[in-house]
Amino acid sequence: MPLATMTNIGTATTSRSPATKSPCTRGQLRRNQAATDEAATSSGESELPEELLSFVLTHLAGMAVGGRATPELGEITLFEDGTDAAVLAETSRFARSWQRASSVSHRWRAAADEVQLWKVARKLVRGGQLDWSQLKETEGDKAAKCWQSSSTSREEGKDDSWHACTIPETGDETVLLVRKCSQEGVSYDIVRWIGCLQGMRHPCIAALQMVHTSHVHEDGLWSARVYAGFERTDTSLQEIVYGTLARTSHTVVGRPLPALMLRSFLYQLLHSLACCHARGISHGNLAPYRVLAKKLAGEDQYLLKLADFGFSPPTAALCNIDLPIRPSRASPELHADCQFKRYGPANDLWALGTVFAEVACGSRDPTVYMMIQELDSTDEPTLKNNLPMMGTDARNLLRKLLRAEPTDRITAAEALCHPYFEGIHEQCPVVAQYLPRSMPAAPSFLELRADAWQPGQDFLARQPELNRKMWGILYDWLSVVSYKFKFVPRSLQLACDYMRRYLMDTPIERKRLQLLGIGALCLACKHEEVMIPNMNDFIYICDNAYPLEELMAIEVEMLSSLDAQLHMPTVDDMLLPKLVEIGAALALPDADTADTTSPLRQWLQCVTLIGQAHYPVVLHDPAVLARCVATLGALLWCGQTTEVSRPDNGTLEESSTAGGPRPRGAPRG
């Protein structure tokens, strides 16, 4: 059939005479909606009592926003202790939950509009921007000054402002950081700070309460604006010791802390560090002015709050030549004479040891400072003479915190069991109330999972313009980009996780798929890398297919859509412990070569990369992929094995060949 004939047939089929009435009239739409409501009624939806419907929607709002609402008691709280930060944006989880509830029927829409948590959260964001008219700022509030004095960003020349605010409708109090970002997009320290604190629930860590990011046009330029709300505090450890929030020189003398108060403070800080380290996070820049506090009832009763995670060392800084930041209390492995600087939890313990000695003395005595730098070679009488206020157990703990070799340093979890803290729960009411013995241990980093995605979910099924082949092409291209920029493997795998979760809830056009991929990689490298490329470099690698403002916009949109859940375990993280167990990799970087890999580990990373480019593989949980790859690695490393892991965590007993299985480490022949 000629092409013209086919065109005419198609035209005749789809055209209507002027007398034919279009079915897409308003009356027909109303009838369709009525039919939908009638179907919902017949399915039992309308039989749901009003009180039960209100309770269900309030519960859904609380899960999405992170707050708490008990209408029968008149309590509405947007920032609830022990919950994730509320991400306020039109693409965040709270907005999606409201849209889904409202789309059920007119009745559900009316009920959802009356849910107080949703109502307050929607009022705070209007037109994609934070509505300041819904906040009441307290001028001259000390809480804002506490946070401003603790922030490292002022040393970096960042455009920050701190505001102590209250939400009148709920009575929630927060200290709001407003960061005006330039054409770098969302600043890397803000990305790291938010990513570390989202989901961090500990009474001695200053909680992240609210996050809002927006893409604004000012003075002819596009830029990002970040609003981060933090827990309100009253003072800082710096002020408790020295009487001022400002940073002081070594000549200023403060008050030595009483013995019980000193034990309480050290126990609280160790407990908070143990939680951070269990989640794979190091603070990286511990100092008295970065430890905030809440004043409790009673004399000298304080609950400490570890703050300012903006310069928490990323994965790429575990061992490198370039020093990403010079901590104010650098441990020996971070000194300039070390070719390879080793970052990690051990740095925090060294910094805490110096803080321990400082607050015990009430000053930064130069004699004490020089002594603790070489504490391994300091005899006990000298240490006792310089720190007479410390007992035997305190000096012993100080020595373990200040070991020169980081692998010999005591961990935070081990330090909590030191004899120095014996009887602390009976003697200190603050510790007994907020850090009881029954308090569950912090979840392991490898056990963390994002809320928005479950293994096996086909996220491309919700994308009408995308298919599996496009995923493979995109991931293959991103792996080349990651190799060109010399990113660590974790950055690429995090970008994969970000894209997967974003595509679960947000439809995207085919022409913007590459933009999504490079935006995810940009966000991941800001969270994980030391040397971060310029935003224009990412545009250049895309062959200038997108303008800079579109990349900045997708970064802001993705940060909100992911609910700021950026610090997630990857296959590479789960693979390392398994390779360490069979002796195929090092648990910590080597001080002489900075080598953390082995030929087997590099090969398995390539296998993982190839697998994740295959769409059915990427649907599995990272733990399953890590177990499969590690089993293959063990078979190759040991020649043969008596156990092979199964997906259900069981084992298959394999019979050995003639001569029996070869022991680990035996030469291959």
Side-chain angles (χ1 to χ4, degrees), residues 82-87 93 193-202 205-209 211 275-276 279 281 442-443 448-449 451 562-568:
T83 61
D84 291 355
V87 180
R93 182 173 54 179
W193 196 344
I194 291 174
C196 289
L197 286 187
Q198 178 66 301
M200 185 86 76
R201 303 168 185 175
H202 193 277
I205 296 177
L208 177 69
Q209 297 177 323
V211 177
C275 176
C276 294
R279 292 176 61 93
I281 296 171
L448 299 180
R449 295 295 184 274
D451 298 333
L562 299 177
D563 258 35
Q565 294 179 343
L566 305 179
H567 187 69
M568 290 290 132

Side-chain angles (χ1 to χ4, degrees), residues 495-653:
C496 172
D497 178 68
Y498 296 167
M499 291 188 294
R500 184 172 54 189
R501 288 155 51 196
Y502 181 88
L503 292 172
M504 273 297 301
D505 296 298
T506 308
I508 191 170
E509 299 176 354
R510 181 187 306 179
K511 63 181 181 181
R512 300 183 75 241
L513 182 60
Q514 186 183 19
L515 178 65
L516 171 65
I518 201 65
L521 189 60
C522 176
L523 192 62
C525 80
K526 287 183 178 181
H527 192 271
E528 292 299 322
E529 298 291 337
V530 176
M531 306 301 293
I532 303 168
N534 188 278
M535 296 284 281
N536 288 305
D537 294 334
F538 287 108
I539 295 297
Y540 176 78
I541 207 71
C542 294
D543 198 19
N544 297 311
Y546 309 98
L548 178 61
E549 54 267 22
E550 286 193 20
L551 177 58
M552 297 170 64
I554 194 70
E555 183 186 46
V556 168
E557 182 181 348
M558 187 175 297
L559 184 62
S560 301
S561 180
L562 299 177
D563 258 35
Q565 294 179 343
L566 305 179
H567 187 69
M568 290 290 132
T570 64
V571 177
D572 193 63
D573 299 318
M574 300 176 181
L575 181 62
L576 179 58
K578 302 179 187 302
L579 297 182
V580 171
E581 184 179 355
I582 65 173
L586 298 175
L588 296 173
D590 186 83
D592 298 324
T593 63
D595 188 16
T596 59
T597 62
S598 63
L600 177 63
R601 185 182 180 189
Q602 293 175 347
W603 186 81
L604 293 179
Q605 287 173 347
C606 293
V607 171
T608 304
L609 188 150
I610 295 172
Q612 289 183 321
H614 188 53
Y615 182 73
V617 174
V618 83
L619 298 180
H620 291 282
D621 187 271
V624 176
L625 299 182
R627 188 162 57 245
C628 294
V629 175
T631 301
L632 177 61
L635 290 170
L636 293 173
W637 182 258
C638 301
Q640 61 183 357
T641 180
T642 58
E643 288 186 357
V644 178
S645 299
R646 294 164 53 110
D648 58 358
N649 290 325
T651 58
L652 285 174
E653 294 295 333

Side-chain angles (χ1 to χ4, degrees), residues 192-193 196 280-285 308-314 325 527:
R192 182 69 182 171
W193 196 344
C196 289
I281 296 171
S282 302
H283 186 275
N285 212 0
D308 191 7
F309 284 76
F311 288 94
S312 171
I325 180 175
H527 192 271

Side-chain angles (χ1 to χ4, degrees), residues 312-603:
S312 171
T315 301
L318 289 180
C319 195
N320 65 92
I321 298 177
D322 299 318
L323 192 66
I325 180 175
R326 174 70 176 178
S328 56
R329 296 164 188 267
S331 49
E333 64 271 17
L334 300 182
H335 288 173
D337 55 351
C338 296
Q339 181 182 5
F340 299 105
K341 283 76 178 177
R342 289 176 288 171
Y343 281 85
N347 310 147
D348 290 341
L349 275 303
W350 174 278
L352 182 60
T354 63
V355 172
F356 182 25
E358 178 180 340
V359 297
C361 298
S363 66
R364 282 186 288 170
D365 188 343
T367 304
V368 175
Y369 177 79
M370 295 301 297
M371 178 191 65
I372 63 178
Q373 298 298 316
E374 300 178 354
L375 201 56
D376 287 346
S377 59
T378 303
D379 56 27
E380 188 64 18
T382 303
L383 178 60
K384 186 176 181 179
N385 290 335
N386 285 280
L387 296 173
M389 72 293 298
M390 285 189 176
T392 303
D393 289 336
R395 294 195 300 271
N396 179 267
L397 178 58
L398 183 65
R399 285 186 179 276
K400 292 184 176 182
L401 290 171
L402 296 175
R403 296 287 188 192
E405 175 56 41
T407 56
D408 297 335
R409 224 166 280 159
I410 193 172
T411 66
E414 293 170 348
L416 290 172
C417 302
H418 194 273
Y420 178 62
F421 300 113
E422 185 176 353
I424 187 70
H425 289 86
E426 291 76 21
Q427 300 167 8
C428 181
V430 176
V431 172
Q433 179 180 353
Y434 291 96
L435 303 173
R437 290 192 178 94
S438 59
M439 185 175 180
S444 170
F445 172 55
L446 300 183
E447 298 174 358
L448 299 180
R449 295 295 184 274
D451 298 333
W453 182 82
Q454 297 296 328
Q457 289 182 330
D458 187 2
F459 54 90
L460 286 186
R462 307 186 182 188
Q463 302 292 333
E465 296 190 19
L466 307 182
N467 56 48
R468 299 184 174 191
K469 186 177 180 180
M470 295 177 187
W471 171 267
I473 295 173
L474 175 64
Y475 196 83
D476 183 59
W477 176 75
L478 287 177
S479 65
V480 175
V481 173
S482 181
Y483 175 79
K484 291 290 185 181
F485 282 124
K486 299 182 179 179
F487 292 157
V488 294
R490 176 170 160 79
S491 295
L492 178 61
Q493 293 179 11
L494 270 183
C496 172
D497 178 68
Y498 296 167
M499 291 188 294
R500 184 172 54 189
R501 288 155 51 196
Y502 181 88
L503 292 172
M504 273 297 301
D505 296 298
T506 308
I508 191 170
E509 299 176 354
R510 181 187 306 179
K511 63 181 181 181
R512 300 183 75 241
L513 182 60
Q514 186 183 19
L515 178 65
L516 171 65
I518 201 65
L521 189 60
C522 176
L523 192 62
C525 80
K526 287 183 178 181
H527 192 271
E528 292 299 322
E529 298 291 337
V530 176
M531 306 301 293
I532 303 168
N534 188 278
M535 296 284 281
N536 288 305
D537 294 334
F538 287 108
I539 295 297
Y540 176 78
I541 207 71
C542 294
D543 198 19
N544 297 311
Y546 309 98
L548 178 61
E549 54 267 22
E550 286 193 20
L551 177 58
M552 297 170 64
I554 194 70
E555 183 186 46
V556 168
E557 182 181 348
M558 187 175 297
L559 184 62
S560 301
S561 180
L562 299 177
D563 258 35
Q565 294 179 343
L566 305 179
H567 187 69
M568 290 290 132
T570 64
V571 177
D572 193 63
D573 299 318
M574 300 176 181
L575 181 62
L576 179 58
K578 302 179 187 302
L579 297 182
V580 171
E581 184 179 355
I582 65 173
L586 298 175
L588 296 173
D590 186 83
D592 298 324
T593 63
D595 188 16
T596 59
T597 62
S598 63
L600 177 63
R601 185 182 180 189
Q602 293 175 347
W603 186 81

Side-chain angles (χ1 to χ4, degrees), residues 70-140:
T70 50
E72 64 277 6
L73 301 178
E75 296 181 0
I76 302 172
T77 304
L78 188 61
F79 308 141
E80 176 70 5
D81 293 339
T83 61
D84 291 355
V87 180
L88 305 179
E90 296 177 349
T91 58
S92 65
R93 182 173 54 179
F94 101 85
R96 294 194 300 266
S97 65
W98 176 82
Q99 292 169 359
R100 289 167 182 167
S102 301
S103 63
V104 174
S105 66
H106 286 302
R107 180 168 174 259
W108 277 59
R109 172 65 180 264
D113 288 340
E114 296 302 320
V115 175
Q116 292 298 318
L117 279 177
W118 273 329
K119 184 183 294 186
V120 172
R122 292 176 63 205
K123 283 183 178 179
L124 286 172
V125 180
R126 296 289 178 88
Q129 304 294 328
L130 188 68
D131 189 355
W132 276 95
S133 64
Q134 301 298 323
L135 299 173
K136 181 181 179 182
E137 183 177 358
T138 306
E139 296 291 343

